[in-house]
Amino acid sequence: MEKENQDEIRDYGTARIADKTGGSGIELFTIIGEIEGHEAVSGSTKTTKYEHLLPKLAQAEEDENTEGLLFLLNTLGGDVEAGLAIAEMIASISKPTVSLVLGGSHSIGGPLAVSADYSFIVPTGTMIVHPVRSTGMFIGVIQSYRNMEKTQERITQFIAAHSRITQERLTELMLDSTQLVKDVGTMLEGEEAVKEGLIDEVGGISQAFHKLHELIQKEKSNDTKFK
């Protein structure tokens, strides 16, 4: 089991955390570096590959020994479609989920951070929200602009639906031109992210584990009532 865990951490950034009875209990996932989409990024860049993460999430959903999932995030963002796919997958998991932002969860990292049932950010953690950008050829016609707008709306709708911030306020922060030197957008540190309603609470790993165990016990209690 220990060798299997070491391989999982090395290959996929995941780990099974045994509970006191020896079961798997909690499945740990890391979302770090750049969210890689359909095209592979530079070999020297740390990435989270959605083709690795999605099957692992599906496996955790079906594994009867997995009671909850913990996500550790430190990402600068990346591919929008891949990021949203992962975020939607996390949001649709029936088991308790908790996220913890360590370092930063920027750009498409926003939906990933809020997709869990409950979210934490460390005091020095940051979140950067900004408009959707084009990373490839951009045809300067109205249809291209509308497609960008629609993509941005998908992101703001998802974040607003899974946090306490309104879509209007999020858009306002995205379009702020007074904070970032070479771009529009807003950087929120730990307390600010909570105050704006993006993240639920400031805390670290112990608080994240405590909350996840709390949600797991609540889930067990609900299951007992319906039996």
Side-chain angles (χ1 to χ4, degrees), residues 83-152:
L84 280 177
I86 298 169
E88 290 282 12
M89 188 76 158
I90 295 171
S92 67
I93 288 175
S94 63
K95 299 177 181 182
T97 56
V98 168
S99 66
L100 171 59
V101 175
L102 299 160
S105 193
H106 303 165
S107 191
I108 199 61
L112 291 167
V114 305
S115 59
D117 297 326
Y118 201 87
S119 57
F120 287 90
I121 186 170
V122 295
T124 58
T126 59
M127 299 187 73
I128 293 179
V129 294
H130 60 72
V132 173
R133 303 185 184 100
S134 172
T135 56
M137 181 187 297
F138 187 82
I139 301 173
V141 295
I142 192 64
Q143 290 90 339
S144 294
Y145 177 72
R146 285 174 180 165
N147 284 337
M148 296 282 280
E149 274 193 324
K150 287 180 180 178
T151 300
Q152 183 167 307

Side-chain angles (χ1 to χ4, degrees), residues 52-93:
H52 288 174
L53 196 52
L54 295 184
K56 296 296 295 182
L57 291 171
Q59 186 180 54
E61 170 69 14
E62 281 294 286
D63 184 359
E64 62 181 12
N65 292 318
T66 299
E67 298 177 320
L69 291 77
L70 176 62
F71 298 90
L72 305 181
L73 295 97
N74 187 8
T75 175
L76 49 77
D79 188 277
V80 170
E81 297 296 335
L84 280 177
I86 298 169
E88 290 282 12
M89 188 76 158
I90 295 171
S92 67
I93 288 175

Side-chain angles (χ1 to χ4, degrees), residues 5 23 32 35 45 53 61-62 67 71 83 93 95 109 116 139 147 158 169 174 194-195 204 207 211 213 215 220 224:
N5 227 6
I32 61 172
I35 308 302
T45 302
L53 196 52
E61 170 69 14
E62 281 294 286
E67 298 177 320
F71 298 90
I93 288 175
K95 299 177 181 182
I139 301 173
N147 284 337
F158 183 92
R169 176 56 178 161
M174 282 182 164
V194 174
K195 184 179 178 181
Q207 289 86 356
K211 185 64 179 181
H213 284 296
L215 294 175
K220 287 181 177 179
T224 302

Side-chain angles (χ1 to χ4, degrees), residues 178-191:
T178 65
Q179 284 204 31
L180 306 181
V181 176
K182 296 182 179 180
D183 197 5
V184 293
T186 301
M187 184 176 76
L188 301 168
E189 294 182 358
E191 288 284 359

